Amino acid sequence: KAGVTQTPRYLIKTRGQQVTLSCSPISGHRSVSWYQQTPGQGLQFLFEYFSETQRNKGNFPGRFSGRQFSNSRSEMNVSTLELGDSALYLCASSLVVAPPKNIQYFGAGTRLSVL
Amino acid sequence: AQKITQTQPGMFVQEKEAVTLDCTYDTSDQSYGLFWYKQPSSGEMIFLIYQGSYDEQNATEGRYSLNFQKARKSANLVISASQLGDSAMYFCAMTGNYGGSQGNLIFGKGTKLSVKP
């Protein structure tokens, strides 16, 4: 069974640009979550999508947005990039199991560098 | 506010020995989940083990076991018979409470484990 696939693996952008990252979940998983990982702030939750609806959102500005398609694939978008947006962006998928047993399986991440 | 604390930034262990990675947590929720993930240098987060707050027995998954002490709010990971491939960052996490809805994760800062041959 294929794991979570994130594309692209690496991206280089300049300040002010926008970027779109893609995530394909494990087959059958309907929940997709996104996390940002930086050396300073560690791993922080961005948002979660289930059945094409945003179900939860972390504490990030509106420049960070996402969506989910009917096949559960998800994209996240960051507009007006800032230097501080340089990070590893991780996507995770999970079966819809009642919390707290919501085991998330992660992809390899997209490493974004903003110059 | 919920919080995960990992007090060991880095640890060394000899190959084939056991090692314990510390994790303490803080939450006011009665029902919560605790997780450990491994992150090799490649970046992928690999799920290792889960413990529910109402589970009476400590979780085990192969060489991994979770030493859950609810009263102390600790969830230490024990790796038995360390292997060179265990060298990685290890993250402790718990289910977060976002606007009253659980499910997503709050992570600690991580512990970098190095296994020596």
Side-chain angles (χ1 to χ4, degrees):
Chain A
K1 200 172 189 181
V4 178
T5 304
Q6 291 188 246
T7 55
R9 291 293 314 277
Y10 303 93
L11 267 178
I12 300 175
K13 293 286 186 178
T14 56
R15 278 183 299 173
Q17 287 187 312
Q18 75 166 18
V19 66
T20 299
L21 313 182
S22 179
C23 173
S24 294
I26 293 170
S27 178
H29 286 195
R30 297 170 64 192
S31 171
V32 174
S33 299
W34 289 88
Y35 295 82
Q36 181 196 64
Q37 185 177 23
T38 60
Q41 298 299 315
L43 279 147
Q44 294 183 286
F45 167 66
L46 279 157
F47 31 64
E48 180 205 3
Y49 285 87
F50 172 71
S51 290
E52 303 177 62
T53 301
Q54 187 180 88
R55 189 159 70 168
N56 282 314
K57 189 177 190 304
N59 189 23
F60 277 82
R63 299 185 299 106
F64 292 82
S65 63
R67 59 178 175 168
Q68 186 180 34
F69 302 94
S70 58
N71 61 358
S72 294
R73 191 178 70 87
S74 177
E75 290 181 346
M76 69 162 279
N77 184 277
V78 187
S79 62
T80 319
L81 283 166
E82 301 177 359
L83 295 178
D85 298 333
S86 295
L88 179 66
Y89 290 88
L90 291 161
C91 167
S93 73
S94 63
L95 284 171
V96 181
V97 175
K101 190 172 184 178
N102 186 23
I103 297 173
Q104 298 190 10
Y105 297 90
F106 285 78
T110 294
R111 191 167 295 278
L112 172 65
S113 297
V114 182
L115 307 178
Chain B
Q2 293 167 300
K3 188 177 181 181
I4 293 280
T5 302
Q6 294 180 254
T7 57
Q8 306 152 314
M11 287 193 70
F12 288 91
V13 64
Q14 203 69 37
E15 191 178 10
K16 299 182 184 176
E17 291 186 349
V19 62
T20 297
L21 305 184
D22 294 341
C23 172
T24 57
Y25 60 92
D26 191 18
T27 183
S28 58
D29 290 339
Q30 297 302 307
S31 175
Y32 51 88
L34 296 157
F35 306 77
W36 277 92
Y37 285 86
K38 170 185 177 182
Q39 187 178 41
S41 56
S42 60
E44 182 177 0
M45 298 282 284
I46 302 167
F47 166 72
L48 295 177
I49 197 166
Y50 163 84
Q51 177 85 41
S53 58
Y54 290 119
D55 295 339
E56 294 186 354
Q57 295 204 339
N58 287 341
T60 59
E61 292 282 352
R63 294 187 299 111
Y64 305 106
S65 61
L66 198 153
N67 185 358
F68 180 46
Q69 298 188 43
K70 195 170 182 177
R72 293 187 174 186
K73 293 190 174 180
S74 75
N76 298 338
L77 177 71
V78 180
I79 306 174
S80 63
S82 297
Q83 301 172 356
L84 295 178
D86 293 335
S87 294
M89 284 291 291
Y90 288 81
F91 291 92
C92 180
M94 69 180 299
T95 42
N97 193 325
Y98 296 93
S101 173
Q102 278 194 336
N104 290 284
L105 299 174
I106 294 172
F107 286 87
K109 294 292 187 185
T111 295
K112 184 174 183 179
L113 178 66
S114 299
V115 181
K116 298 186 289 185

